[in-house]
């Protein structure tokens, strides 16, 4: 390899390494909740490759708009699981062995339509997940409002400004609403969840957030750092 080629290769490797470790900083005004604030408890849930957020239903109803309207249409439940994904592959629950071609399309074809899932839960949303597959986060009220705003900004709306319901599964309370965003390997479901955490004030590593494990580590790290802040002595 010629010297210019070696320099170019070294530069590309350095750029890739920088992007891989790049961290979008958090916002201390949003996260964590201050010790004198009750805050809002949410759960980050991992099913092995995809992450959802479980949010109190009341937090989604606040402020009105299309997200409140979509939430009001759901079956009863004090919690709502929020997820995002490809408009076809994400909704389909048939055996994945028969959907490999559609999975490849969703990953590698840019510009795929997407949907936001809102799924009501009557009881503790973490009860179906092992301890290692769930993470509790205590957001400030402002952080929860910012997270809610990020979800609402993703919702596509009709001519009247309401949410657009695109899919309902038989025997399932989950509802799927059209999203303005597009799905592909450069913007996957876990990237979207990480964006919600970023909106709520948590620091994230955007490129690495393609895996559910990275998003879970992001949340766990943020909660550990928040706990350290709570342990610091109060100074006059």
């Amino acid at each position: 390899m010629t010297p210019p080629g070696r320099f170019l290769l070294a530069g590309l490797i350095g750029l890739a390494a920088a992007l891989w470790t790049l961290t979008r900083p958090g916002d201390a005004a949003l996260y964590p909740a201050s010790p004198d604030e009750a805050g809002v408890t949410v759960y980050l849930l991992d099913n092995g490759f995809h992450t959802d957020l479980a949010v109190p239903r009341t937090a989604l109803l606040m402020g009105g708009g299309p997200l409140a309207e979509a939430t009001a249409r759901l079956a009863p439940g004090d919690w709502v699981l929020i997820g995002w994904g490809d408009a076809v592959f994400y909704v389909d629950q048939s055996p994945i062995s028969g959907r490999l071609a559609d999975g490849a399309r969703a990953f590698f074809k840019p510009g795929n339509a997407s949907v936001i899932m809102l799924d009501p839960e009557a009881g503790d949303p973490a009860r179906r997940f092992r301890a290692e597959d769930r993470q509790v986060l205590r957001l400030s009220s402002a952080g929860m409002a910012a997270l809610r705003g990020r979800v609402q900004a993703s919702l596509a709306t009709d001519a009247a400004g309401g949410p657009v319901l695109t899919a309902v599964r038989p025997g399932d309370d989950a509802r799927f609403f059209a999203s303005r965003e597009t799905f592909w390997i450069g913007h996957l479901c876990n990237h979207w969840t990480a964006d919600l955490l970023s909106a709520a004030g948590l620091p994230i590593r955007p490129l690495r957030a393609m895996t559910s494990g990275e998003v879970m580590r992001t949340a766990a790290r943020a909660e550990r750092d928040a706990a350290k802040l709570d342990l610091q002595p109060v100074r006059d």
Side-chain angles (χ1 to χ4, degrees), residues 55-88:
V55 177
R57 187 186 189 115
T58 53
L60 297 183
L61 290 170
M62 294 178 64
L67 181 55
E69 184 178 337
T71 303
R73 295 183 188 177
L74 303 176
D78 293 334
W79 292 83
V80 177
L81 270 61
I82 306 173
W84 177 87
D86 179 79
V88 178

Side-chain angles (χ1 to χ4, degrees), residues 30-178:
L30 299 177
Y31 179 84
S34 64
D36 58 352
E37 181 184 4
V40 180
T41 296
V42 304
Y43 293 98
L44 178 66
L45 306 172
D46 178 10
N47 72 3
F49 63 91
H50 170 90
T51 47
D52 289 324
L53 278 169
V55 177
R57 187 186 189 115
T58 53
L60 297 183
L61 290 170
M62 294 178 64
L67 181 55
E69 184 178 337
T71 303
R73 295 183 188 177
L74 303 176
D78 293 334
W79 292 83
V80 177
L81 270 61
I82 306 173
W84 177 87
D86 179 79
V88 178
F89 188 82
Y90 181 40
V91 177
D92 191 351
Q93 287 191 316
S94 62
I96 197 168
S97 59
R99 298 191 287 131
L100 296 179
D102 190 50
R105 183 271 311 160
F107 266 65
F108 299 114
K109 179 185 175 183
N112 296 297
S114 67
V115 290
I116 296 172
M117 179 197 75
L118 299 178
D119 187 7
E121 287 277 333
D124 182 350
R127 69 189 187 281
R128 296 184 284 105
F129 290 79
R130 301 177 304 169
E132 57 267 34
D133 296 330
R134 63 180 186 265
Q135 176 65 51
V136 179
L137 291 165
R138 192 170 70 90
L139 308 181
S140 67
S141 296
M144 181 64 237
L147 186 153
R148 182 192 185 280
R150 175 64 180 82
V151 177
Q152 179 150 278
S154 184
L155 275 172
T157 54
D158 59 22
V164 180
L165 180 65
T166 63
V168 176
R169 293 189 297 224
D172 190 333
D173 286 335
R175 296 293 181 264
F176 297 86
F177 296 88

